[in-house]
């Protein structure tokens, strides 16, 4: 239960910090942090939680990460579903708090609420094909980074920094395409509030990240099995 609570809190912080930066700070002309600021915010949520709860739960914060680690032989199958449930619930809680804060502004309109999308709902108008490729490849690389820096032969103590910076770079690349998911829990939390088109397109933001994670888990377990000395 301690591990599941840690995953809940960590995913709560990822959604509140990352999506919160997009909803609350990115759009103000005088304070707007833009795509770069939102990218950094997402990276910081993972970096801070890596050191806060990494020693408790491993700091997955993401169903795709949990599945990728399982495929890569780093995580037990019996814990996969409980972790995913905790992550989704934590993300929903983070989105709920964000909604309560954002709706306190006069004239509040929900809009996209930092949801992920393609076609007309892609920030740059990118197609479903572009979104699918982007989410698979970005999640693949994210898992390669995670599996690499947490390998038993990797330099200890620096994993959180590499993972946080990796997620920042992923956002810098893919925010224009899909608003960046690489995380089904993050996508689900926002879709619950936006509903409509966000629910209709949510399938891609489960299928593509999980596919990318599975491929990465298989590839990295071939490149460097954790049991190697």
């Amino acid at each position: 239960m301690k591990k599941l609570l840690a995953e809940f809190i960590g995913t709560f912080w990822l959604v509140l910090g990352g999506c919160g930066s997009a909803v609350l700070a990115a759009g103000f002309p005088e304070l707007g942090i833009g795509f770069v600021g939102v990218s950094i915010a997402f990276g910081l949520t993972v970096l801070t939680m890596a050191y806060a709860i990494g020693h408790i739960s491993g700091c997955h914060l993401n169903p795709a990460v949990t599945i990728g680690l399982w495929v890569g032989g780093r995580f037990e199958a019996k814990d996969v579903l409980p972790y995913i449930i905790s992550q989704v619930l934590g993300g929903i809680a983070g989105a709920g708090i964000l909604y309560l804060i954002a709706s306190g502004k006069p004239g509040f309109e929900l809009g996209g609420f930092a949801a992920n999308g393609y076609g007309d709902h892609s920030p740059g108008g990118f197609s479903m094909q572009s979104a699918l490729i982007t989410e698979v490849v970005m999640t693949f690389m994210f898992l390669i980074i995670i599996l690499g820096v947490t390998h038993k032969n990797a330099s200890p103590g620096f994993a959180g920094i590499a993972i946080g910076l990796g997620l920042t770079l992923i956002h810098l690349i893919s925010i224009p395409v899909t608003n960046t998911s690489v995380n089904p829990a993050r996508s689900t939390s926002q879709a619950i509030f936006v509903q409509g088109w966000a629910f209709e397109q949510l399938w891609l933001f489960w299928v593509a990240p999980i596919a990318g994670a599975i491929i990465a888990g298989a590839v990295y377990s071939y490149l460097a099995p954790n049991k190697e000395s």
Side-chain angles (χ1 to χ4, degrees), residues 32-58:
I33 59 175
F35 284 174
V36 174
V38 174
S39 299
I40 293 171
F42 270 102
L44 287 175
T45 63
V46 172
L47 190 154
T48 51
M49 283 296 103
Y51 293 104
I53 66 168
H55 58 288
I56 301 172
S57 68

Side-chain angles (χ1 to χ4, degrees), residues 55-228:
H55 58 288
I56 301 172
S57 68
C59 190
H60 298 188
L61 317 186
N62 181 338
V65 170
T66 297
I67 292 171
L69 290 174
W70 167 61
V71 172
R74 307 283 188 86
F75 196 66
E76 295 187 24
K78 67 180 178 64
D79 293 325
V80 170
L81 185 58
Y83 261 54
I84 291 174
I85 292 171
S86 297
Q87 293 155 2
V88 171
L89 292 177
I92 293 170
I97 294 297
L98 176 57
Y99 178 83
L100 291 175
I101 295 170
S103 61
K105 181 184 178 184
F108 167 75
E109 294 182 7
L110 184 66
F113 202 54
N116 301 114
Y118 54 83
D120 291 340
H121 305 289
S122 158
F126 287 84
S127 68
M128 183 181 72
Q129 175 180 303
S130 296
L132 185 65
I133 294 170
T134 298
E135 290 292 323
V136 170
V137 173
M138 293 300 114
T139 313
F140 172 86
M141 291 308 305
F142 191 38
L143 264 294
I144 291 292
I145 293 167
I146 292 170
L147 289 161
V149 300
T150 58
H151 192 276
K152 61 180 291 186
N153 295 337
S155 299
F158 294 99
I161 297 172
I163 294 168
L165 290 176
L167 188 61
T168 298
L169 176 57
I170 285 167
H171 278 77
L172 288 171
I173 297 167
S174 59
I175 283 179
V177 184
T178 62
N179 219 16
T180 308
S181 172
V182 302
N183 185 337
R186 169 261 192 271
S187 297
T188 301
S189 66
Q190 306 311 113
I192 283 175
F193 286 85
V194 176
Q195 299 186 12
W197 66 264
F199 264 143
E200 293 171 4
Q201 298 188 357
L202 182 60
W203 67 270
L204 186 145
F205 302 104
W206 275 87
V207 172
I210 289 174
I214 289 172
I215 298 168
V219 169
Y220 204 88
S221 64
Y222 169 74
L223 290 175
N226 211 39
K227 58 179 72 170
E228 287 184 352

